[in-house]
Amino acid sequence: MRGSDTHPGERGDPAILIVPGRLTGPVGAEEAVPYARWLLDRHAAGATLASTCGGTFMLAATGLLSGRPATTHWLFAEPFRTRFPDVRLDPDKMVIEDGDIITAGGLMAWTDLGMRIVDRLLGPTVMIETGKFLLVDPSGREQRHYSSFAPRLTHGDEAILKVQHWLQGRAERAVAVPDMAGQAGLEERTFLRRFKAATGLKPVEYVQNLRVGKARELLEFTRRSVDQIAWAVGYEDATAFRRVFNRVMGLSPGEYRNRFSSGADLAIAA
């Protein structure tokens, strides 16, 4: 990629434009307007548009992401969905490359984005050599390896919120949907519908995320075996626990521990 500032003798727009994130958070709707117009003009002239972190808000403000897949920092997922519900957001992904649009997750995902751009412009061999030189893993990272489960709590459905608070203290015990519906004071079918609408998850998925969150803490800060951790977070079958953990995190419990263990053995109540 070249920029006219580094090659003043060359004419023409850059082939790829990157909208970065910023420490003050995503751009507001009004602030985005003039920049979005400029980006639309560059895109119409043939430029590929890319973003990192909250910069995806700026790309979405152009309207170019409508109906298309994109990612942003996992912390911004809910406000992004609220502002741009027509974008197919996937905050688990570190980078989503969709032809003329490339979006990357957190602020430091610029390294992952950079590797994709090197691959696109110079090919995989140069990309791999660049990764070796910069000590950057060219592939394999996903945001879900790092993000924490942050349940929606501001949805305004008091009955569902009551169940969420109830689950927070007992997710490691046997919990059935009829029990949750009873806590909400709702008929089961109504409860299932309202729970999904409020939280974005089915009740079983919600409980799985709570349990995986507790398991991550135990994997990071204790030396308990995976079987012991499975039991501590509510799974009698360690194989089932491993399957759920892998589906939620994209890593096995062992892989997660190898990557994120603190090396400590703290006394954590389970």
Side-chain angles (χ1 to χ4, degrees):
M1 180 177 68
R2 75 172 190 275
S4 56
D5 58 333
T6 56
H7 292 72
E10 298 184 18
R11 304 181 66 180
D13 291 328
I16 301 176
L17 290 167
I18 303 173
V19 182
R22 61 182 188 180
L23 296 178
T24 54
V27 65
E30 291 186 9
E31 184 184 358
V33 172
Y35 301 102
R37 180 68 263 172
W38 185 83
L39 288 169
L40 274 171
D41 291 342
R42 302 287 77 73
H43 180 264
T48 293
L49 302 183
S51 67
T52 61
C53 198
T56 305
F57 282 72
M58 183 72 76
L59 291 192
T62 67
L64 293 171
L65 293 183
S66 180
R68 299 179 64 170
T71 190
T72 187
H73 192 288
W74 60 267
L75 189 62
F76 302 144
E78 288 312 311
F80 186 94
R81 288 191 177 105
T82 300
R83 279 179 59 181
F84 307 106
D86 56 341
V87 178
R88 290 158 46 203
L89 186 70
D90 186 352
D92 286 344
K93 295 291 193 303
M94 190 68 74
V95 177
I96 292 180
E97 189 170 0
D98 188 39
D100 55 340
I101 303 286
I102 312 172
T103 53
L107 198 63
M108 293 307 294
W110 68 265
T111 56
D112 304 83
L113 174 62
M115 297 298 283
R116 292 292 186 95
I117 292 174
V118 170
D119 184 22
R120 177 178 287 211
L121 297 179
L122 301 173
T125 300
V126 175
M127 182 267 289
I128 291 171
E129 291 303 316
T130 300
K132 290 179 180 177
F133 181 77
L134 297 177
L135 306 181
V136 174
D137 186 354
S139 64
R141 294 203 309 157
E142 295 184 34
Q143 282 203 82
R144 58 178 168 166
H145 300 165
Y146 305 90
S147 63
S148 300
F149 177 53
R152 298 181 191 173
L153 299 172
T154 57
H155 44 71
D157 191 327
E158 293 184 6
I160 300 305
L161 183 60
K162 178 182 177 182
V163 176
Q164 289 177 270
H165 289 322
W166 180 71
L167 286 172
Q168 199 67 43
R170 60 173 296 117
E172 72 279 3
R173 305 178 215 171
V175 181
V177 169
D179 297 329
M180 298 184 216
Q183 284 292 318
L186 298 171
E187 187 270 335
E188 189 171 327
R189 288 183 61 185
T190 302
F191 167 74
L192 289 170
R193 176 177 53 79
R194 284 175 55 175
F195 192 96
K196 179 68 182 292
T199 69
L201 296 168
K202 297 176 182 178
V204 171
E205 294 170 334
Y206 189 93
V207 171
Q208 288 174 343
N209 275 277
L210 288 176
R211 289 175 170 179
V212 166
K214 182 63 175 179
R216 291 172 67 181
E217 184 180 6
L218 294 172
L219 288 165
E220 291 173 23
F221 296 108
T222 78
R223 295 175 185 166
R224 299 186 199 180
S225 70
V226 173
D227 286 9
Q228 288 173 322
I229 290 173
W231 181 268
V233 300
Y235 288 92
E236 296 182 6
D237 183 351
T239 299
F241 164 71
R242 287 182 171 89
R243 186 166 56 249
V244 169
F245 191 96
N246 206 329
R247 186 176 68 250
V248 172
M249 295 304 303
L251 296 170
S252 70
E255 290 169 334
Y256 185 88
R257 169 171 273 166
N258 288 338
R259 185 174 293 192
F260 296 108
S261 174
S262 67
D265 191 10
L266 306 181
I268 298 177

